[in-house]
Amino acid sequence: MPEDESYYTHARPEVLRLVPEGARHVLDVGCGAGALGASIKRAFPQAQVRGVELVSSAAEQARGRLDAVSNADATAPLPVDWPAPDVLVFADVLEHLVDPWQALQSWRQRAAPGCHLVVSLPNVSHASVVSGLQKGQFRYADEGLLDRTHLRFFTRESAIELVEAAGFHIERFERVISIPGPGIKRTLLKGLVQAQYRREQRDQSWRSAPHGLLDTVTFQFLVQARAESGGR
């Protein structure tokens, strides 16, 4: 596990934007030190936020910020005295699991009927990874797209499949954009990327569009979805 405590303390405002207004019982799976959960509590005073965190030191910090925290892994059962969550948050967690497909299915079954799901996933087809592969390189790092603790890797297509295979219907699909290269290149591409992203959001074409420029400059995929049926 990473030793740098900052790894567990990111507030993630881009993830917060996808938490639905009516949230009451939010479960942040892999909550780290509770920075994201604390921001959810500030934004939605009516909501209770509970967390699940494997790393003991991070879980202890989160207990001072959230309503309750379970020091367990992402596949552990929900504590019996916790309410069924109506919002599940997986902020850069699923890529660390051996079987993220089964984990999502299990949490949907434990959650309240019609629960919302908020997910962020790194994009392995980002230009920085692809350019490395073209040079024969796939070098792990302490964090980022090639975090050495990542067990699974996703593109736009497989990220969508992961969420939908677990029984969720995607309502919003957004991107964190990161344009690599020198400043001049970034400046030239920025306008084109922004125009394509606005068009994708307007047309909701994120599912059907062929792999292209937007995918190569997307650092993370952000998904808001809702359980199609079932629950507990």
Side-chain angles (χ1 to χ4, degrees), residues 2 18 28-29 66 70 79 83 100 105 132 140 148 151 172 191 193 204 217-218 220 222:
L18 296 184
D28 186 358
V29 182
L66 309 184
S70 173
Q105 290 175 9
Y140 288 99
R148 66 184 77 257
L151 301 180
R172 291 172 63 183
V193 168
Q204 294 292 288
V217 298
T218 296
Q220 288 177 318
L222 303 170

Side-chain angles (χ1 to χ4, degrees), residues 27-201:
L27 182 67
D28 186 358
V29 182
C31 66
L36 171 58
S39 68
I40 294 173
K41 287 177 66 65
R42 288 192 296 270
F44 305 101
Q46 81 285 356
Q48 295 181 350
V49 181
R50 295 171 175 83
V52 175
E53 174 54 46
L54 176 63
V55 178
S56 298
S57 58
E60 188 59 34
Q61 292 181 62
R63 288 192 179 100
R65 296 170 171 169
L66 309 184
D67 293 282
V69 175
S70 173
N71 183 195
D73 67 36
T75 62
L78 193 71
V80 294
D81 58 338
W82 286 15
D86 55 24
V87 179
L88 297 168
V89 177
F90 288 82
D92 293 309
V93 171
L94 294 167
E95 66 273 16
H96 296 270
L97 305 183
V98 172
D99 193 345
W101 302 273
Q102 179 59 41
L104 269 188
Q105 290 175 9
S106 296
W107 280 110
R108 181 182 62 79
Q109 293 165 1
R110 301 170 193 169
C115 70
H116 283 88
L117 172 70
V118 176
V119 169
S120 64
L121 281 170
N123 172 32
V124 76
S125 64
H126 185 262
S128 61
V129 178
V130 174
S131 63
L133 287 172
Q134 290 173 337
K135 300 171 187 175
Q137 299 170 355
F138 195 83
R139 292 176 177 161
Y140 288 99
D142 290 336
E143 59 182 337
L145 295 174
L146 297 183
D147 186 315
R148 66 184 77 257
T149 64
H150 289 181
L151 301 180
R152 302 296 182 180
F153 298 89
F154 296 92
T155 63
R156 170 167 51 103
E157 180 180 350
S158 57
I160 292 170
E161 289 175 350
L162 169 67
V163 172
E164 294 185 334
F168 291 92
H169 170 72
I170 297 176
E171 297 180 332
R172 291 172 63 183
F173 187 91
E174 299 183 0
R175 301 169 183 265
V176 174
I177 302 295
S178 175
I179 303 174
I184 294 177
K185 180 181 178 181
R186 287 199 302 272
T187 301
L188 292 173
L189 282 177
K190 185 176 180 180
L192 179 59
V193 168
Q194 289 177 336
Q196 287 193 9
Y197 190 29
R198 285 195 297 267
R199 185 162 56 249
E200 178 185 75
Q201 291 295 296

